[in-house]
Amino acid sequence: MVRRFLLLLRVVVGSVGLAVFGRVRPHRWLPPGLSLRLLRIYFEPGAAMVAAGMRARVPIGGRTVTTDLSYDPGTGRDGLFDLVRPEGDPAPLVVWLHGGGWYYGSKSDPLPYLELLATHGFAGASLNYPRIPEQRHPAAPVAVLTALNHLVENADRYGVDARRIVLAGDSAGAQVAAAAALACINPGYAASLGVAPGPAAGIAADRLRGTALFCGTFDAAALLDAGRMFTAILATSMWAQAGTRDWTDTEVADLITIRRHLDATFPPTFLRAGNADPLTAGGTVPMARTLTELGVDLDSKVLGDESDPQPHQVQFRLGTPAGEQIVEDLVAFLRRVTG
């Protein structure tokens, strides 16, 4: 009873604090080193609850899960990953970057989703990566490139097929995944991240078979029109990413705006988002438009309508018609692009 009361009290206090946070627009004056750490305390338990809800809907058996492996020894939690392998021969590998506004979240959050994909024959690696405010851009995508090299070099040890890799991510993780994918195929973009072209820039382009990006943000300026709450939080995140409150015209904002750097060589891409997601109008929709204009192989859909609105992170709503449809569509996409 006491635990329930304390949990309820935490939710109430946190919700009130979050409402105040959105109204006072702290991204204009409160240093992100403080505000983002406080938000992390509030949001991380909710992410863990979503993961637990997904796990309850994943079939038992048919996979092996190994946690807390390291792709970059010496970096602590930032260099850890969890690995999921289906039974049988080495399988194509889905490398997933968790969401959380670049400042919270963990490799354990999307792990049940990768376990579900393993029941369809795909291996999965869920990565931790450097978060703000402790680190700044481009620490996250550079860490992902390090992880990709590690996974390719140790594919036999891990029992995965690193000749067929799909980079995936949700929310802020979708942006990180897209940036890492772009660095793998675009030497100029890799150089802008401080990574030399070639093996140091990640996996060879012929190994990268596709990207799967959910509810992502691919345009920094669009975050200012994402609704009061999302704008307050993500503008604070951009302050931390760029190291300045006036981040809109910085090089960091330009590099995070993935759409400006795309070309026709971007790998086949799977995009999904909900119609009621504050990030959809400025994120998934224009990203899909740009990829279509470039002629990139694209499977894109916004789910929901006025009578059945679908929120941010719709893909994790397993057991709902929208969530189940996304799983079906994603598995079909993964099978097609990995052969």
Side-chain angles (χ1 to χ4, degrees):
M1 182 68 71
V2 173
R3 288 186 62 188
R4 289 184 180 180
F5 174 76
L6 291 175
L7 179 59
L8 178 60
L9 182 63
R10 178 178 182 175
V11 171
V12 171
V13 172
S15 297
V16 171
L18 199 59
V20 172
F21 187 93
R23 286 188 174 275
V24 301
R25 298 195 291 180
H27 56 284
R28 296 177 178 267
W29 55 274
L30 184 63
L34 174 60
S35 59
L36 293 180
R37 286 184 173 94
L38 291 174
L39 287 168
R40 184 183 292 169
I41 293 172
Y42 175 75
F43 280 115
E44 287 200 327
M49 290 179 63
V50 171
M54 285 194 289
R55 177 159 284 110
R57 294 186 173 275
V58 178
I60 297 173
R63 61 192 180 277
T64 300
V65 180
T66 307
T67 60
D68 293 332
L69 297 166
S70 178
Y71 67 81
D72 191 4
T75 60
R77 62 91 55 201
D78 290 349
L80 297 178
F81 71 100
D82 296 340
L83 183 67
V84 185
R85 291 171 294 174
E87 296 177 347
D89 295 333
L93 179 63
V94 179
V95 179
W96 196 294
L97 291 312
H98 67 79
W102 300 293
Y103 68 91
Y104 82 93
S106 164
K107 59 186 175 59
S108 61
D109 297 341
L111 183 61
Y113 207 80
L114 288 176
E115 292 183 49
L116 178 60
L117 293 181
T119 67
H120 294 277
F122 299 96
S126 183
L127 311 184
N128 277 350
Y129 54 85
R131 303 177 300 181
I132 55 173
E134 291 83 2
Q135 300 284 336
R136 287 174 48 188
H137 185 83
V142 170
V144 174
L145 298 178
T146 299
L148 291 173
N149 278 317
H150 175 82
L151 289 164
V152 169
E153 292 170 359
N154 294 277
D156 291 341
R157 168 187 167 194
Y158 293 135
V160 300
D161 185 351
R163 298 167 301 172
R164 297 179 289 168
I165 294 177
V166 173
L167 267 173
D170 59 278
S171 195
Q175 189 279 326
V176 176
L182 191 56
C184 289
I185 63 170
N186 185 322
Y189 189 80
S192 72
L193 299 183
V195 178
I203 57 178
D206 61 351
R207 293 180 182 268
L208 181 59
R209 300 299 182 88
T211 67
L213 311 174
F214 300 87
C215 307
T217 174
F218 310 103
D219 188 325
L223 298 176
L224 297 175
D225 297 314
R228 178 185 292 160
M229 186 60 63
F230 272 68
T231 290
I233 294 173
L234 294 176
T236 301
S237 293
M238 285 301 304
W239 179 355
Q241 289 277 33
T244 176
R245 181 169 50 192
D246 301 319
W247 53 265
T248 53
D249 293 322
T250 63
E251 182 183 14
V252 168
D254 175 69
L255 293 173
I256 283 177
T257 303
I258 295 296
R259 294 195 304 113
R260 294 179 184 169
H261 303 276
L262 296 173
D263 60 36
T265 65
F266 198 74
T269 295
F270 182 90
L271 292 176
R272 288 296 185 275
N275 68 319
D277 182 346
L279 296 182
T280 296
T284 299
V285 170
M287 180 70 163
R289 184 168 57 247
T290 298
L291 291 171
T292 299
E293 291 170 352
L294 291 170
V296 172
D297 181 349
L298 177 65
D299 182 342
S300 178
K301 186 179 296 183
V302 175
L303 293 97
D305 53 36
E306 290 186 3
S307 64
D308 184 29
Q310 297 299 324
H312 189 58
Q313 300 288 42
V314 58
Q315 76 282 353
F316 290 156
R317 303 182 74 202
L318 299 181
T320 69
E324 295 304 313
Q325 184 62 58
I326 290 174
V327 172
E328 181 180 333
D329 293 346
L330 176 60
V331 168
F333 171 82
L334 294 175
R335 287 176 175 162
R336 178 171 67 84
V337 299
T338 63

